[in-house]
């Protein structure tokens, strides 16, 4: 069952050599969505010095996509031990570490993980000794923790929710619990787009800020998790994460994002193999390309939010401010997000003779230029991008087959020969991009698209994937 069996066996041999007290076995693990898998797991103790020397019992589950996905880690306290909830451990004994969040093969290994675990536990001891009376009260809690670490949860008995099989739910996962990720969750919830939304919070430590508020006020059908397995069987996975490293150059910033995605995309792709990946991270064209390469998904199922928000605003300005409703139906903002975006049209009502056609085009261009000037003054706040994400998600989940300007593979369009993603009008459905809508031929627009494609391709060539 293990896709990379030899690599996994080699890692376990290294663990056994360094920590001979560990025992290995195969057991059934039940994920939060109720799905089950037979997985390798090992348990034992790690030595920790915190004044005195302690042996901390741990239990690790090895996913079948190892070493490209991190293991699932728990403490395994005895009856006379209590769990100290802290930055790296929750009340159930689940272990969260930066090493797990930034997992990336071949840099990340099980030995490296255990070493960081020891280092973090020496900063903040995860267990404490119970008195005899506390130990008695602890026994019931321990039995529950044991079930979790053996792969049994109360989800096992809940195969149906609301009369539907959970696997048939319109479930989406939003990766990243920053302002944009939370805005996406709230927008999706407000529009009642999905039956369930999972917010994957990859930040270090316990939930805080917005995620804590989501928990406090209990937004319906929203689950907050740090576990990639909770994203299983999502129909749409929205990527909102951006690296906050200390990069010095623009290229360094993008490379930091690429490195971040290397630990995310393989994991979410593994758990949701039929999902549409919707990228909202910056720069959206490059990160959509990176997601496509790392996921190995077909190009139709990897799209970026692109110029969807700009296009919707553009059409609104034409219709409501400039009273050009007829023009708005076929008007789009396309190309590269930012200053290099350009307006275009998907059809052209050519007049009876060349003179009238030229006059009609000139009139249209004047109105479009005015609309683009108004558009320049509109910033993109997290909540506005969140609404755009909800709009795209709605079209995908409900198979609406609406046209949106989204980042898609542009190779073969407008004489572009490189693998780059640009915003182009596309029909969206449950399988992502169903069809690209043909644009009106305009040499100036094509020239701008080719220029954007060239600069993006040059940038991509400098990245380490």
């Amino acid at each position: 069952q293990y896709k990379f069996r030899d690599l996994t066996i080699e890692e376990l041999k290294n663990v056994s050599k360094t920590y001979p007290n560990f025992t290995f076995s195969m057991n059934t693990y039940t994920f939060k969505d109720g799905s089950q898998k037979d997985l390798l797991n090992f348990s034992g103790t790690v030595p920790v010095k915190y004044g005195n020397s302690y042996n901390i019992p741990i239990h690790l589950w090895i996913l079948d996509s190892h070493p490209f996905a991190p293991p699932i880690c728990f403490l395994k306290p005895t009856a006379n031990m209590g769990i100290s909830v802290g930055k790296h451990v929750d009340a159930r004994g689940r272990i969260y570490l930066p090493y797990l969040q930034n997992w990336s093969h071949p840099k990340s290994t099980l030995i490296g993980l255990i070493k960081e675990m020891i280092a973090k536990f020496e900063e903040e001891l995860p267990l404490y000794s119970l008195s005899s009376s506390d130990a008695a009260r602890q026994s019931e809690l321990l039995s529950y923790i044991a079930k979790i670490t053996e792969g049994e949860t109360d989800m096992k008995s809940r195969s149906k929710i609301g009369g539907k099989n959970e696997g048939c739910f319109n479930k989406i996962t939003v990766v990243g619990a920053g302002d944009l990720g939370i805005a996406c969750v709230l927008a999706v919830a407000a529009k009642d787009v999905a039956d369930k939304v999972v917010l994957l919070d990859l930040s270090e430590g316990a939930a805080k800020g917005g995620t804590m508020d989501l928990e406090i006020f209990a937004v319906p059908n929203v689950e907050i998790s740090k576990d990639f397995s909770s994203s299983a069987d999502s129909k749409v996975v929205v990527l909102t994460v951006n690296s906050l490293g200390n990069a010095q150059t623009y290229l360094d910033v993008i490379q930091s994002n690429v490195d971040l995605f290397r630990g995310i995309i393989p994991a979410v792709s593994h758990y949701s193999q039929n999902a549409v990946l919707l990228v909202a991270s910056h720069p959206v064209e490059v990160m959509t390309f990176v997601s496509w390469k790392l996921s190995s998904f077909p190009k139709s199922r990897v799209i970026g939010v692109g110029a969807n928000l700009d296009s919707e605003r553009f059409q609104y300005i034409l219709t409501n401010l400039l009273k050009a409703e007829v023009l708005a139906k076929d008007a789009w903002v396309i190309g590269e997000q930012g200053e290099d975006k350009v307006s275009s049209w998907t059809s052209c009502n050519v007049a009876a003779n060349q003179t009238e056609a030229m006059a009609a085009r000139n009139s249209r261009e004047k109105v479009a230029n005015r609309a683009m000037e108004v558009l320049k003054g509109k910033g993109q706040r997290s909540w506005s991008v969140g609404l755009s994400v909800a709009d795209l998600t709605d079209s995908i989940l409900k198979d609406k087959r609406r046209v949106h300007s989204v980042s898609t593979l542009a190779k073969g369009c407008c004489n572009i020969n490189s693998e780059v993603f640009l915003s182009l009008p596309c029909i969206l459905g449950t399988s992502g991009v169903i069809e690209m809508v043909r644009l009106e031929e305009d040499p100036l627009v094509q020239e701008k698209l080719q220029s954007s494609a060239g600069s993006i391709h040059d940038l991509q060539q400098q990245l380490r994937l």
Side-chain angles (χ1 to χ4, degrees):
Q1 297 180 1
Y2 279 72
K3 299 174 185 177
F4 310 101
R5 182 175 176 275
D6 292 344
L7 291 173
T8 301
I9 290 173
E10 190 63 32
E11 278 235 71
L12 295 179
K13 284 180 179 178
N14 291 335
V15 171
S16 186
K17 287 178 185 176
T18 310
Y19 302 96
N21 71 84
F22 279 109
T23 57
F24 299 83
S25 63
M26 285 287 294
N27 293 100
T28 301
Y29 187 89
T30 303
F31 296 94
K32 287 185 177 180
D33 67 344
S35 62
Q36 295 182 324
K37 276 190 179 177
D38 289 334
L39 296 178
L40 271 167
N41 63 92
F42 63 88
S43 56
T45 61
V46 293
V48 172
K49 289 184 178 180
Y50 192 84
N52 297 320
S53 295
Y54 298 92
N55 290 317
I56 303 297
I58 61 170
H59 189 99
L60 276 62
W61 291 84
I62 310 300
L63 296 173
D64 55 4
S65 53
H66 189 85
F68 293 94
I72 300 169
C73 307
F74 289 93
L75 292 170
K76 198 172 184 182
T78 60
N80 63 345
M81 294 179 180
I83 296 171
S84 296
V85 177
K87 189 161 59 172
H88 302 299
V89 178
D90 67 16
R92 301 180 309 159
R94 183 71 184 268
I95 299 169
Y96 303 100
L97 296 170
Y99 200 94
L100 291 168
Q101 295 158 16
N102 300 320
W103 188 275
S104 176
H105 177 76
K107 179 178 64 176
S108 304
T109 64
L110 293 175
I111 293 294
L113 170 63
I114 294 172
K115 286 180 178 178
E116 175 164 295
M117 199 176 291
I118 292 170
K120 295 300 182 184
F121 289 170
E122 287 180 343
E123 295 173 6
E124 187 177 79
L125 202 63
L127 297 170
Y128 62 92
S129 295
L130 292 170
S131 66
S132 58
S133 58
D134 287 335
R137 289 195 295 269
Q138 180 82 346
S139 60
E140 185 177 349
L141 176 60
L142 275 178
S143 66
Y144 174 64
I145 293 171
K147 287 180 181 179
I148 295 171
T149 58
E150 293 301 325
E152 299 174 12
T153 71
D154 60 350
M155 287 300 295
K156 190 173 181 180
S157 62
R158 292 196 295 138
S159 60
K160 292 187 178 180
I161 299 178
K164 295 182 184 178
N165 189 305
E166 191 171 7
C168 298
F169 266 20
N170 275 338
K171 173 181 174 181
I172 77 163
T173 292
V174 177
V175 183
D179 289 346
L180 178 54
I182 292 172
C184 290
V185 169
L186 293 176
V188 167
K191 288 178 69 71
D192 196 23
V193 171
D195 298 304
K196 182 175 181 180
V197 183
V198 174
L199 176 61
L200 269 182
D201 181 3
L202 303 182
S203 60
E204 185 178 342
K208 55 186 177 181
T211 53
M212 184 176 69
D213 294 338
L214 286 178
E215 289 185 336
I216 291 170
F217 294 103
V219 178
N221 304 320
V222 174
E223 175 189 347
I224 301 168
S225 177
K226 289 180 175 289
D227 183 357
F228 279 108
S229 67
S230 63
S231 69
D233 299 320
S234 295
K235 293 188 178 177
V236 178
V237 176
V238 183
L239 286 307
T240 71
V241 290
N242 285 290
S243 174
L244 298 177
N246 298 317
Q248 298 299 311
T249 67
Y250 183 56
L251 181 62
D252 290 338
V253 171
I254 299 174
Q255 185 62 56
S256 294
N257 270 355
V258 171
D259 295 340
L260 187 62
F261 269 46
R262 286 175 61 195
I264 295 171
I265 300 299
V268 296
S269 303
H270 166 70
Y271 285 112
S272 300
Q273 297 179 8
N274 297 311
V276 174
L277 299 184
L278 178 55
V279 182
S281 303
H282 293 295
V284 67
E285 295 83 16
V286 175
M287 298 318 297
T288 308
F289 167 80
V290 169
S291 299
W292 176 53
K293 286 296 185 182
L294 292 175
S295 68
S296 297
F297 279 9
K299 63 181 182 181
S300 61
R301 289 200 285 116
V302 184
I303 60 180
V305 294
N308 181 62
L309 176 58
D310 283 329
S311 286
E312 294 293 334
R313 288 173 167 178
F314 186 54
Q315 293 171 4
Y316 180 88
I317 291 166
L318 287 171
T319 300
N320 295 280
L321 301 185
L322 303 181
K323 307 302 179 185
E325 187 173 351
V326 175
L327 291 178
K329 291 188 298 182
D330 304 314
W332 302 94
V333 176
I334 62 171
E336 187 178 357
Q337 210 178 56
E339 293 299 317
D340 293 322
K341 59 180 176 275
V342 60
S343 61
S344 187
W345 314 84
T346 51
S347 67
C348 178
N349 298 318
V350 180
N353 60 65
Q354 191 172 357
T355 303
E356 290 181 5
M358 183 64 70
R361 282 196 177 93
N362 288 339
S363 175
R364 183 188 68 180
E365 291 306 317
K366 286 180 182 178
V367 174
N369 289 338
R370 286 172 62 196
M372 289 295 282
E373 283 300 315
V374 176
L375 189 61
K376 283 181 181 179
K378 308 294 180 184
Q380 293 199 358
R381 305 281 184 177
S382 293
W383 60 265
S384 55
V385 178
L387 289 170
S388 177
V389 166
D391 180 47
L392 294 170
T393 304
D394 185 47
S395 287
I396 294 167
L397 290 180
K398 297 178 181 177
D399 200 27
K400 287 191 170 180
R401 298 178 180 247
R402 287 178 57 206
V403 181
H404 296 269
S405 182
V406 291
S407 303
T408 189
L409 189 64
K411 186 176 181 180
C413 174
C414 301
N415 295 319
I416 295 170
N417 298 316
S418 52
E419 291 183 337
V420 296
F421 282 70
L422 291 171
S423 276
L424 295 165
C426 297
I427 300 171
L428 297 187
T430 52
S431 58
V433 173
I434 296 171
E435 182 183 345
M436 192 184 298
V437 180
R438 186 174 179 179
L439 290 167
E440 171 192 323
E441 291 187 9
D442 184 328
L444 290 177
V445 170
Q446 290 196 10
E447 184 180 338
K448 287 185 177 181
L449 291 179
Q450 288 165 9
S451 175
S452 289
S455 61
I456 292 170
H457 182 256
D458 289 345
L459 183 59
Q460 288 173 178
Q461 292 295 100
Q462 300 176 65
L463 298 172
R464 302 183 305 276
L465 281 179

